[in-house]
């Protein structure tokens, strides 16, 4: 079985401070990991995926297979980063591999 | 731009009613998904479909069924609504490829069962 755990339900940081959202997963094979974000009154949307190895809106995430983690980081948080963030895992290939298992979500609040 | 449209933003139904939630996407995506979103539990997959008339159970299919008669439309059916099915329901679609493709979400339907 695959599982995604986001231990923090709420993260509150000041503008300009670093922010790190933790994500741990349980899966025996080679997973694909994603971060999705939902801003206030907007749809849930993809933020980044580990196979792209890119930085989106200043966020980066590194897949650590040894620690089974995929933490999301940003060195200097901005007020517009306030949102709900979900870590998600896909553990299979083929048709069934297109489905995702989501974590419980972390709400980020960036204070001015 | 991919558009995933859910038929209702808010819906109020009574216990025991048969409830239909509709979702339409306009980008010819093979995959379609239904999730429910609850605080602290994140998104949980109810059912997904990777082709017309094809469906697979997700993690919490009990009390739900789905229908996919056309590629662009995926319906979620609550056979006999119960109060514990009060939730936000999200529909999503994606291309079907070897590697997981981004899922595109609708605005959601907030369903209340009284």
């Amino acid at each position: 079985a695959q599982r995604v755990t986001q231990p923090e339900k709420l993260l509150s940081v000041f503008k300009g401070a670093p922010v790190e959202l933790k994500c741990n997963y349980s899966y025996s094979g080679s997973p694909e990991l994603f971060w999705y974000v939902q801003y206030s009154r907007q749809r849930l949307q993809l933020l980044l995926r580990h196979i792209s190895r890119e930085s989106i809106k200043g966020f980066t995430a590194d897949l650590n297979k040894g620690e089974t983690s995929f933490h999301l980081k940003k060195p200097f948080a901005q007020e517009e980063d306030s949102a709900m963030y979900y870590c998600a895992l896909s553990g299979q290939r083929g048709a069934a591999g297109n489905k995702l298992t989501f974590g419980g979500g972390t709400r980020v609040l960036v204070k001015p | 731009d991919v558009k995933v449209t859910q038929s209702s933003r808010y819906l109020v139904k009574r216990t025991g009613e048969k409830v239909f939630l509709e979702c339409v996407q306009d980008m010819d995506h093979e995959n379609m998904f239904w999730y429910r979103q609850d605080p602290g539990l994140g998104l949980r997959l109810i059912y997904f479909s990777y082709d017309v008339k094809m469906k697979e159970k997700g993690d919490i299919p009990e009390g739900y069924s789905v229908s996919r008669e056309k590629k662009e439309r995926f319906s979620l059916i609550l056979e006999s609504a119960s109060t514990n099915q009060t939730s936000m329901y999200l529909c999503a679609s994606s291309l079907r490829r070897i590697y997981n493709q981004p899922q595109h979400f609708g605005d959601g339907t907030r369903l209340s069962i009284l």
Side-chain angles (χ1 to χ4, degrees), chain A residues 2-111:
Chain A
Q2 52 197 55
R3 174 179 281 185
V4 177
T5 303
Q6 294 179 247
E8 305 122 338
K9 285 188 166 43
L10 174 66
L11 269 182
S12 184
V13 300
F14 285 102
K15 177 182 173 182
V19 61
E20 180 179 30
L21 289 74
K22 290 185 167 48
C23 172
N24 292 94
Y25 66 89
S26 172
Y27 182 67
S28 57
S30 292
E32 292 183 62
L33 275 297
F34 307 81
W35 278 98
Y36 279 78
V37 60
Q38 188 168 27
Y39 301 103
S40 179
R41 300 187 184 86
Q42 294 189 27
R43 301 178 176 199
L44 191 62
Q45 59 187 288
L46 177 69
L47 179 62
L48 55 79
R49 52 195 302 192
H50 89 270
I51 62 171
S52 300
R53 297 181 183 277
E54 56 189 349
S55 173
I56 304 292
K57 298 185 179 183
F59 284 97
T60 59
D62 292 317
L63 178 60
N64 185 323
K65 292 187 178 181
E67 295 183 0
T68 60
S69 68
F70 188 56
H71 303 328
L72 183 69
K73 302 175 186 178
K74 185 169 182 176
F76 307 103
Q78 303 299 313
E79 289 182 70
E80 55 265 30
D81 296 327
S82 295
M84 192 73 174
Y85 292 80
Y86 293 97
C87 183
L89 175 152
S90 173
Q92 298 171 282
R93 299 288 179 263
N98 285 196
K99 63 178 183 175
L100 293 171
T101 298
F102 284 83
T106 298
R107 182 168 297 282
V108 172
L109 177 62
V110 181
K111 296 179 286 189

Side-chain angles (χ1 to χ4, degrees), chain A residues 9 32 34 36 38 43-44 46 49 51 86 90 93-105, chain B residues 3-4 31 33 35 37 40-43 45 48 50 57 95-100 102-103 105-107:
Chain A
K9 285 188 166 43
E32 292 183 62
F34 307 81
Y36 279 78
Q38 188 168 27
R43 301 178 176 199
L44 191 62
L46 177 69
R49 52 195 302 192
I51 62 171
Y86 293 97
S90 173
R93 299 288 179 263
N98 285 196
K99 63 178 183 175
L100 293 171
T101 298
F102 284 83
Chain B
K3 186 74 171 177
V4 178
N31 297 325
F33 308 83
Y35 297 90
Q37 183 181 30
L41 297 177
L43 277 72
L45 181 65
F48 80 102
Y50 53 89
K57 292 180 180 180
L95 291 167
R96 189 177 77 218
R97 296 290 184 268
I98 295 296
Y99 289 96
N100 201 299
Q103 292 189 14
F105 287 84
D107 287 325

Side-chain angles (χ1 to χ4, degrees), chain B residues 7-26:
Chain B
S7 53
S8 306
R9 290 298 302 274
Y10 301 94
L11 208 53
V12 180
K13 296 292 183 180
R14 296 204 173 276
T15 303
E17 280 192 72
K18 190 169 186 176
V19 181
F20 293 84
L21 302 183
E22 306 286 345
C23 176
V24 176
Q25 50 95 3
D26 66 356

